[in-house]
């Protein structure tokens, strides 16, 4: 028995070396085959190349049939405004995190989107806002959840990132922090829109009762990803959550790794959808690790993340911008408000699944 | 030019097939070499085999020099109590999630640990508790943050997992949910211990001022990982957070993917340490993806997670139990309260770095 073990041990190293050599050779041949087929600078299938900035304004049941032309024009204009705000920062040599903030602020301020002004209402007829941001260069992050009196939650999330040893604040504590850091507070009426009020009343069905997660939700979120002139990536997400959501419910938007993630090694990701499934699958970080450890391209990795959400019964989408400027925007809903800007200044806006 | 492209295209498939074949052959040879060296059932270097249950009670400056013998005995006894509570559930055919809960409840109830009774105090001289749990079979999760009146936060986190379409609740909302689900509330004095009160006063240095993350923190957390008779994994974590922590500060303990993660494909992980760094590195999920996508063993993957925390300047540790029963417990502090139970019923408890 001892002799057998010794014999097996002595076999180990040559076998290992032979195996590694064969694997390496195989890898080189695969790379060669891959190179002959696709010039390195071209866009990858399932992704768009040369992108410097992208946004989303939520995924959901967005179809040509249920979108009046005037509303469609408003959404397209609002997405373009956000895209130009972000791209301008990049163009002028600004940082990716600043570009992300600049774009998200325009969407938070626009009542069309479920974030900041126009956010959906909780089951207690209030607004509780979540936001997060991540710097792919430093892995620095900031996030807030359940803030009720901050006009632009993404700005507060970024203030957490830049001025605290902590990275995530909730509710009252987030607002005490905001006051300490010089933020103005707004009262809840600032966020109010009749559209969201009617949605809440409709969801509650005439019963002034707390919902604790027993009713199906409707979703919406905004987010942005950027790649600046230094090649640094950043991602940010902001949301009002779900219509009639339970008080204190936290979705994926403020969770680093779930709704937001950025790492210069790989990719910047912002997600939207039924957040619970994105939390369970740690989607944004999963996309990064599929690229980092499984060597997937951004389009396959991002689709893999959405497939994992779908496998649990969830839906939504992501925008994922890799370190080479390739953007993937997979979603498993009928549509997703989205758009991007290329390095030559071209702006593309899309809403529906068939465009 | 067209002819050249066509020629390159025609070369692509045979090169791809040849490359894949070589890579496959190489992989088989490596596997063969690996098999000859190590019987599959043996413990891996850096990990312990045949483990069914493990806990931690926090990592930090835990040395023989600064631990009086009576206190050491108390900690060892408390860890053994937690281990036996969890292992008993597994022995009797219970589910991994139930084992995790059973062990963590004993630590939440024990004032030695920074969770439940005996939790540290916030900068506003209160207790804000965080907990989370994950089922590796379903990827079902539940988490709560900032709860102030729940005796056993891990039980509330599990109730979120099992009875809500949502997965994460904060503060008041978490407690409204608890009331709806029949939990009794306790008042804050329940959690009070003079030891934590003195620590708070010491940290505040005589100033009754809010801290917003401008002071260095001290840490402590409890957690458990289990592998039940069905081979299902689960992980859970519970904490009072940091002494003098800002109101509303959320650390890694309630964040799925950062402080807690379980997936039957790979591993169950519970973390402890300076939580912000675990959030930024998405440590628990990173360990899982290193195993899943980079095919690392649990010891290397877990060490990789701690190394990433250390690279940013953070410290702490994890307990990581893989789907084959191999346990790794790396930490970069001087000690970590920890222990495990093997399938034959053996109980091992450790505290210091040199054991």
């Amino acid at each position: 028995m001892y002799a057998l073990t010794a014999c097996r041990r002595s076999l180990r190293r040559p076998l290992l070396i032979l195996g590694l050599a064969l694997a390496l050779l195989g890898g080189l041949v695969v790379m060669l085959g891959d190179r002959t087929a696709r010039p390195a600078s071209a866009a990858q299938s399932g992704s768009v190349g040369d992108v410097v900035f992208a946004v989303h304004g939520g995924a959901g049941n967005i179809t040509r049939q249920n979108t009046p032309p005037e509303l469609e024009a408003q959404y397209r204009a609002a997405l373009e405004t956000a895209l130009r705000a972000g791209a301008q920062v990049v163009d002028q040599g600004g940082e990716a995190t600043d570009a992300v903030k600049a774009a998200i602020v325009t969407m938070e301020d626009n009542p069309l989107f479920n974030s900041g002004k126009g956010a959906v209402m909780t089951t207690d007829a209030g607004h509780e806002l979540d936001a997060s941001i991540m710097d792919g260069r430093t892995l620095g992050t900031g996030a807030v959840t359940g803030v009720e009196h901050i006009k632009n939650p993404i700005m507060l999330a970024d203030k957490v990132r830049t001025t605290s040893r902590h990275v995530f604040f909730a509710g009252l504590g987030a607002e005490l922090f905001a006051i300490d850091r010089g933020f103005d507070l707004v009262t809840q009426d600032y966020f109010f829109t009749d559209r969201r009020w009617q949605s809440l009343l409709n969801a509650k069905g005439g019963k002034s009762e707390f919902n604790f997660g027993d009713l199906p939700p409707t979703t919406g979120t905004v987010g942005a990803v950027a790649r600046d002139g230094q090649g640094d990536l950043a991602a940010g997400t902001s949301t009002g959550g779900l219509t009639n959501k339970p008080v204190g419910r936290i979705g994926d938007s403020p969770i680093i790794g779930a709704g937001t993630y950025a790492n210069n090694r790989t990719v910047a990701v912002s997600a939207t959808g039924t957040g619970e499934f994105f939390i369970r699958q740690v989607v944004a970080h999963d996309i990064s690790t599929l690229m980092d450890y499984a060597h997937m391209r951004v389009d396959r990795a991002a689709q893999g993340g959405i497939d994992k959400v779908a496998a649990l019964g969830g839906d939504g989408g992501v925008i994922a911008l890799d370190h080479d400027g390739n953007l993937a925007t997979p979603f498993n809903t009928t549509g997703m408000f989205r758009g991007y800007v290329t390095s030559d200044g071209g702006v593309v806006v899309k809403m529906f699944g068939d465009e």
Side-chain angles (χ1 to χ4, degrees), chain A:
Chain A
M1 188 63 196
Y2 172 76
L4 181 63
T5 305
C7 170
R8 288 164 127 193
R9 284 249 165 84
S10 72
L11 259 174
R12 188 189 182 200
R13 176 156 300 192
L15 280 172
L16 190 73
I17 291 169
L18 174 63
L20 287 175
L22 283 170
L24 190 66
L25 182 61
L28 284 171
V29 174
V30 167
M31 277 174 63
L32 185 65
D34 204 41
R35 265 185 112 74
T36 57
R38 180 172 48 79
S41 65
Q44 302 168 341
S45 73
S47 66
V48 180
D50 288 325
V51 172
V52 295
F53 193 75
V55 299
H56 71 78
N61 185 20
I62 303 162
T63 64
R64 294 181 199 278
Q65 289 70 42
N66 67 13
T67 310
E70 319 82 66
L71 190 62
E72 177 179 339
Q74 288 175 24
Y75 272 113
R76 290 189 188 271
L79 290 165
E80 184 168 338
T81 298
L83 287 167
R84 291 194 186 281
Q88 185 178 15
V89 173
V90 174
D91 280 351
Q92 297 178 348
E95 296 187 4
T97 48
D98 289 331
V100 164
K101 278 187 291 180
I104 289 180
V105 162
T106 72
M107 292 192 281
E108 286 179 339
D109 290 348
N110 190 325
L112 283 174
F113 299 108
N114 176 18
S115 63
K117 184 166 186 65
V120 299
M121 304 187 81
T122 73
T123 193
D124 200 23
H127 302 275
E128 296 184 4
L129 309 175
D130 300 340
S132 66
I133 188 165
M134 185 161 188
D135 176 351
R137 182 174 61 83
T138 63
L139 306 183
T141 67
V144 293
T145 183
V147 299
E148 301 179 17
H149 306 102
I150 305 297
K151 193 180 168 200
N152 291 112
I154 192 69
M155 297 302 287
L156 181 56
D158 198 57
K159 189 62 80 174
V160 173
R161 176 179 74 87
T162 56
T163 73
S164 177
R165 68 171 69 237
H166 304 301
V167 301
F168 195 6
F169 284 94
L172 172 67
E175 301 195 341
L176 289 172
F177 175 85
I179 294 167
D180 185 71
R181 297 305 199 248
F183 277 69
D184 293 326
L185 302 191
V186 294
T187 46
Q188 286 261 299
D189 49 288
Y190 168 77
F191 303 106
F192 183 89
T193 53
D194 189 62
R195 170 187 172 210
R196 303 304 193 184
W197 174 243
Q198 296 303 328
S199 296
L200 176 67
L201 295 183
N202 186 49
K204 294 184 81 83
K207 294 188 183 166
S208 292
E209 294 176 355
F210 282 96
N211 167 37
F212 292 105
D214 307 312
L215 297 170
T218 61
T219 66
T221 295
V222 306
V225 290
R227 179 170 174 270
D228 65 24
Q230 310 300 313
D232 291 327
L233 297 176
T237 311
S238 181
T239 191
L242 311 170
T243 295
N244 199 27
K245 71 178 178 183
V247 175
R249 175 264 185 185
I250 305 176
D252 64 319
S253 300
I255 308 292
I256 297 303
T260 302
Y261 187 76
N263 188 331
N264 276 8
R265 283 177 61 88
T266 50
V267 67
V269 179
S270 173
T272 173
T274 43
E276 283 71 12
F277 301 97
F278 286 74
I279 290 175
R280 290 167 61 191
Q281 295 286 20
V282 201
V283 170
H285 184 253
D286 200 58
I287 292 169
S288 172
T289 57
L290 283 169
M291 296 178 65
D292 202 1
Y293 306 147
H295 311 294
M296 273 190 198
R297 301 187 321 205
V298 65
D299 54 340
R300 283 190 59 209
Q303 185 63 51
I306 295 301
D307 290 346
K308 286 188 179 177
V309 167
L312 295 180
D315 55 41
V318 297
I319 54 175
L321 179 61
D322 79 9
H323 54 91
D324 290 327
N326 299 299
L327 175 76
T329 61
F331 51 92
N332 71 337
T333 48
T334 57
M336 179 166 78
F337 299 113
R338 62 201 187 276
Y340 58 88
V341 183
T342 47
S343 59
D344 59 4
V347 176
V348 175
V349 169
K350 298 183 179 184
M351 293 172 54
F352 306 119
D354 60 1
E355 63 177 329

